[in-house]
Amino acid sequence: GLDDLLEAILLVADNMEIQANPKGKVIGTVIEAEIDKSKGVVATLLVQNGTLRVGDPFVSGAQHGKVRAMLDDRGLPLQAAGPSIPVEILGLAGVPMAGDEFVAVQDERAAKQISEHRLQKQRSRDLTQASARPSLESLFERLQQGGTKELNLIIKADVHGSIEALSDALTQLSNAEVNVNVVHAATGTISESDVSLAAVSHAIVIGFNVRPTPKVQAMAAEENVDLRFYNVIYDAINDVKSALTGLMASRFEEHILGSAEVREVFHIPKVGTVAGSYVTDGKIERGRNLRLIRDGIVVYEGKNASLRRFKEDAKEVQSGYECGIGIENFNDIKVGDRIEFYYMEEIKPEIA
């Protein structure tokens, strides 16, 4: 049916006299955007008017940037893209939403000012629209008491596709007693502003394949904000569904032991890659579960294979000390990565 669709689009364009000026103001639409582990923020754009060039500063939704590089649909570099040309660009400061309009501006300063203004308006709108939210464990109990009519969620994920799938699936769980409403959803790691929004509105924050920094986790604990982390969509759906029906089973609660920053990488024959690290907070213990985090995105989850201080094996290493960390079956470690150590505790349900 693609030929019929294209013919219909061309017919409508002819009848409505839709035209684009390659020399006019650069305007287009964001098709998709995500955080790439090696490239950073990457966005696919469709130019609808004007000609976008490498080096152009622009604003897209609440994000701004400057085109550092531009690729066509085959991954080949481009210097300019005119109307109806889809391109992949690098150089955004943050991840825009799919469907956002992008506009080229005169300079980076103007782009940043427009972006900051839009972010403030968006945050104010979220705070105004958000209402009180219960915690997931107490949701059924509050429903029985008539104290909760709406469950609002904040969703943060690594790509827009995951956000759309989660949002659609969770909102479909709404029933006659409670309405599940996603009031804010965006790509990227969970930030302090997300915790602030959740604290004001008693929100439940769902993170899909993203992790907050220790500072954000501490802030969430102080504000009693309920943070939930998932890497399988069905787990998130089942948790919310079970809470709505009062059927929550025992769950495993994650406890962070500590984290370390990778400052040097050593490749040792017959051993593998060892991360020369500095323990930034808490403590780390040999043999524990860990996750490797790069730019706020979880790159790998597994187990600690070795832990050494100088040339000796260590059972644990406290904050403020250096050590060597080996990760089981994983060698793609880079300087600047954060390694988070944790363990899981079984929590029995307290609701009826």
Side-chain angles (χ1 to χ4, degrees):
L2 289 177
D3 291 338
D4 294 337
L5 176 61
L6 289 173
E7 185 178 347
I9 291 173
L10 289 172
L11 179 62
V12 171
D14 287 339
N15 290 336
M16 298 181 66
E17 297 184 355
I18 297 175
Q19 296 180 344
N21 180 10
K23 296 183 179 180
K25 186 176 182 181
V26 180
I27 300 174
T29 302
V30 177
I31 305 301
E32 180 61 286
E34 64 177 350
I35 300 176
D36 189 274
K37 294 173 184 177
S38 58
K39 299 178 183 177
V41 179
V42 177
T44 303
L45 313 177
L46 179 64
V47 181
Q48 295 172 296
N49 194 72
T51 300
L52 184 67
R53 305 178 190 277
V54 173
D56 285 351
F58 65 97
V59 180
S60 178
Q63 305 297 337
H64 71 282
K66 182 178 180 180
V67 182
R68 289 195 290 108
M70 189 158 50
L71 306 173
D72 64 11
D73 57 329
R74 298 179 181 179
L76 300 175
L78 288 176
Q79 292 298 314
S84 79
I85 303 296
V87 291
E88 183 179 86
I89 65 164
L90 283 71
L92 279 154
V95 183
M97 298 291 291
D100 280 352
E101 182 184 70
F102 73 89
V103 180
V105 295
Q106 292 182 347
D107 52 55
E108 288 185 80
R109 183 179 179 183
K112 188 174 182 180
Q113 288 177 343
I114 295 171
S115 172
E116 289 176 349
H117 177 67
R118 290 181 176 179
L119 280 170
Q120 289 178 355
K121 288 183 67 177
Q122 179 180 318
R123 186 58 59 188
S124 299
R125 188 163 55 248
D126 289 340
L127 285 169
T128 301
Q129 293 176 352
S131 58
R133 317 171 190 196
S135 67
L136 209 55
E137 279 79 10
S138 62
L139 176 60
F140 182 74
E141 192 173 274
R142 296 192 183 197
L143 280 171
Q144 295 294 89
Q145 297 171 356
T148 299
K149 295 299 180 184
E150 190 170 55
L151 173 64
N152 294 326
L153 303 172
I154 295 174
I155 298 177
K156 298 299 291 286
D158 54 343
V159 294
H160 277 299
S162 299
I163 289 176
E164 292 173 0
L166 263 174
S167 299
D168 291 344
L170 293 175
T171 52
Q172 288 177 11
L173 296 177
S174 300
N175 54 43
E177 294 180 343
V178 62
N179 179 45
V180 180
N181 182 34
V182 178
V183 296
H184 178 64
T187 52
T189 185
I190 299 170
S191 63
E192 293 182 19
S193 58
D194 296 318
V195 175
S196 297
L197 173 61
V200 170
S201 54
H202 304 288
I204 295 172
V205 182
I206 291 180
F208 186 80
N209 208 29
V210 296
R211 300 292 305 182
T213 63
K215 184 178 180 182
V216 173
Q217 287 180 324
M219 180 180 176
E222 290 177 3
E223 299 290 346
N224 293 320
V225 171
D226 191 4
L227 299 181
R228 297 281 172 148
F229 306 109
Y230 301 95
N231 52 22
V232 178
I233 290 178
Y234 294 109
D235 289 344
I237 296 170
N238 288 336
D239 273 5
V240 175
K241 187 175 181 179
S242 296
L244 292 174
T245 57
L247 298 176
M248 288 195 75
S250 297
R251 65 183 181 87
F252 289 89
E253 184 174 292
E254 181 182 294
H255 293 276
I256 303 299
L257 287 168
S259 59
E261 178 186 340
V262 179
R263 297 190 172 178
E264 192 62 66
V265 177
F266 304 97
H267 301 283
I268 303 175
K270 298 182 180 180
V271 174
T273 302
V274 174
S277 309
Y278 177 81
V279 183
T280 55
D281 59 273
K283 66 177 180 179
I284 61 178
E285 297 180 355
R286 186 175 61 197
R288 290 288 192 178
N289 293 330
L290 57 77
R291 59 175 60 90
L292 185 78
I293 302 169
R294 186 174 298 155
D295 298 325
I297 305 298
V298 178
V299 176
Y300 180 78
E301 287 197 50
K303 278 203 166 188
N304 170 238
S306 63
L307 183 63
R308 285 183 165 239
R309 280 270 300 150
F310 301 108
K311 294 184 179 181
E312 301 295 327
D313 287 335
K315 185 178 180 181
E316 64 178 44
V317 179
Q318 298 286 341
S319 173
Y321 290 94
E322 295 180 338
C323 61
I325 300 173
I327 302 178
E328 198 172 273
N329 301 323
F330 187 77
N331 293 312
D332 183 23
I333 305 171
K334 296 182 180 180
V335 174
D337 289 348
R338 184 163 63 89
I339 302 176
E340 190 176 76
F341 283 68
Y342 66 97
Y343 69 94
M344 307 299 291
E345 178 190 5
E346 185 178 4
I347 305 295
K348 299 292 184 181
E350 298 180 355
I351 58 177

